[in-house]
Amino acid sequence: MESEPTAELIRAQLRRLRMKAELSQEEFGKLVHFSGSQVSAIELGQRPFDRFFLKRADEVLDTGGLLTSLLKMAERDGQPSWFKPWLEAERQAQQLRCYLPSLIHGLLQTENYARTIIRTDDMISDDEVEKRVSARMDRQSILVSPDPPMYVVVLEEAVLRRADESFRGLMVEQIAHLIECAQRPRIHVHIIPATVALHVGLVGPFSLARSRDGGWVGHQETQLGGEVVDKDEDLAILLARWESVRGQALSRQQSVELMKDVMTSWS
């Protein structure tokens, strides 16, 4: 079920807007390709709504995207409590620095790649997978905002090559997306080549965000969750490690050329 109390607000607004448009549940249902009983169940909270339904409702009721915007709030409310402080830091950041040794960073994942990665957790239901995918895609909006952060990410070459034949198309799509992102003015993607066998970053992934007042905050993820890093001494360690892993990576253009070579090998 959608996160409360935002979901209650969505249902209340849906009913208010439908009645303001002088549409019965049956009439409205026909316009959004649902039955009247399904609309009733959604308004009463007996049936979950999804992005497709709310997008159609926004169009039919001419809401200016109100309902889908509220859904984004609901999905944000549903994020794990340990992740929310970092999401806020990420949204407010002037600079972002991220290192991942084993996966593409969430802000650069395609929808198909994100869904495949999230589905590796057998404990997550299909509905929860889709909620997490939607939340991850919405999270990427900071990169196309009017004032996006300077975003620098360092990845391992092995991340680009980690797939078998069944994921060939997925990886071609993902690497093409990486290359497109890497050519935007405020996004820098750097690759540590496979020839660099060992370095300090392999201990684990971490991210750093610099706010507009100049302060830094860090984040580290583990199998059980993650933690925000805000102590000066700990931030100093992460900033030093960032300089180390960034120093091992190829230049921006060299990284793009390497990604093109890998994509060619997959295609």
Side-chain angles (χ1 to χ4, degrees):
M1 189 62 64
E2 298 86 356
S3 301
E4 305 291 350
T6 317
E8 291 183 359
L9 176 60
I10 292 173
R11 289 191 289 268
Q13 289 297 315
L14 174 64
R15 185 172 185 274
R16 180 185 68 81
L17 291 164
R18 176 182 61 75
M19 295 179 70
K20 183 179 179 182
E22 299 183 345
L23 293 171
S24 68
Q25 291 177 334
E26 194 71 35
E27 292 168 334
F28 176 70
K30 289 180 180 178
L31 293 173
V32 296
H33 311 305
F34 276 61
S35 68
S37 60
Q38 288 174 322
V39 172
S40 175
I42 289 172
E43 291 185 355
L44 293 172
Q46 298 169 347
R47 176 191 173 101
F49 46 73
D50 59 19
R51 188 177 300 274
F52 170 77
F53 172 81
L54 294 182
K55 184 174 184 295
R56 287 288 299 145
D58 276 332
E59 292 170 353
V60 168
L61 299 171
D62 193 23
T63 70
L66 172 65
L67 299 174
T68 49
S69 295
L70 289 172
L71 178 60
K72 290 181 181 180
M73 291 174 57
E75 291 169 342
R76 188 179 303 167
D77 289 345
Q79 292 284 358
S81 59
W82 57 265
F83 198 46
K84 289 181 180 179
W86 171 252
L87 286 180
E88 186 59 30
E90 193 176 73
R91 282 192 291 271
Q92 300 298 324
Q94 187 177 50
Q95 293 182 35
L96 282 172
R97 301 176 179 179
C98 307
Y99 166 72
L100 284 90
S102 56
L103 295 171
I104 305 295
H105 190 252
L107 291 178
L108 294 175
Q109 292 178 5
T110 64
E111 184 173 333
N112 287 330
Y113 183 94
R115 183 175 290 106
T116 301
I117 294 301
I118 293 169
R119 276 182 174 159
T120 60
D121 188 342
D122 295 335
M123 300 176 67
I124 302 177
S125 68
D126 287 345
D127 285 346
E128 182 62 22
V129 167
E130 292 308 313
K131 286 181 181 179
R132 294 192 185 190
V133 170
S134 293
R136 189 163 300 180
M137 295 301 101
D138 289 340
R139 180 180 157 207
Q140 296 177 2
S141 64
I142 65 170
L143 300 181
V144 292
S145 65
D147 186 21
M150 176 62 71
Y151 173 47
V152 185
V153 61
V154 175
L155 304 171
E156 299 285 338
E157 180 181 348
V159 172
L160 307 179
R161 299 187 184 276
R162 181 174 291 113
D164 59 27
E165 290 297 319
S166 62
F167 294 107
R168 181 184 293 270
L170 180 147
M171 289 307 298
V172 169
E173 177 190 53
Q174 175 61 73
I175 297 173
H177 179 66
L178 271 180
I179 293 170
E180 186 274 323
C181 289
Q183 293 172 335
R184 298 181 200 170
R186 297 182 68 82
I187 300 178
H188 293 218
V189 179
H190 297 276
I191 307 298
I192 297 179
T195 52
V196 180
L198 293 173
H199 59 85
V200 69
L202 295 175
V203 173
F206 64 92
S207 298
L208 289 155
R210 185 176 186 268
S211 65
R212 298 185 186 280
D213 63 9
W216 287 94
V217 63
H219 187 263
Q220 297 183 100
E221 290 189 35
T222 69
Q223 286 284 342
L224 298 178
E227 63 173 336
V228 170
V229 179
D230 55 10
K231 293 182 180 178
D232 289 344
E233 57 269 32
D234 294 335
L235 286 169
I237 292 172
L238 288 185
L239 285 165
R241 293 193 174 181
W242 168 260
E243 293 301 325
S244 180
V245 297
R246 174 63 189 86
Q248 297 287 354
L250 299 173
S251 71
R252 194 179 182 189
Q253 187 55 44
Q254 288 172 323
S255 297
V256 169
E257 293 305 318
L258 176 57
M259 287 188 283
K260 288 180 179 179
D261 289 343
V262 174
M263 187 171 69
T264 299
S265 72
W266 277 116
S267 58

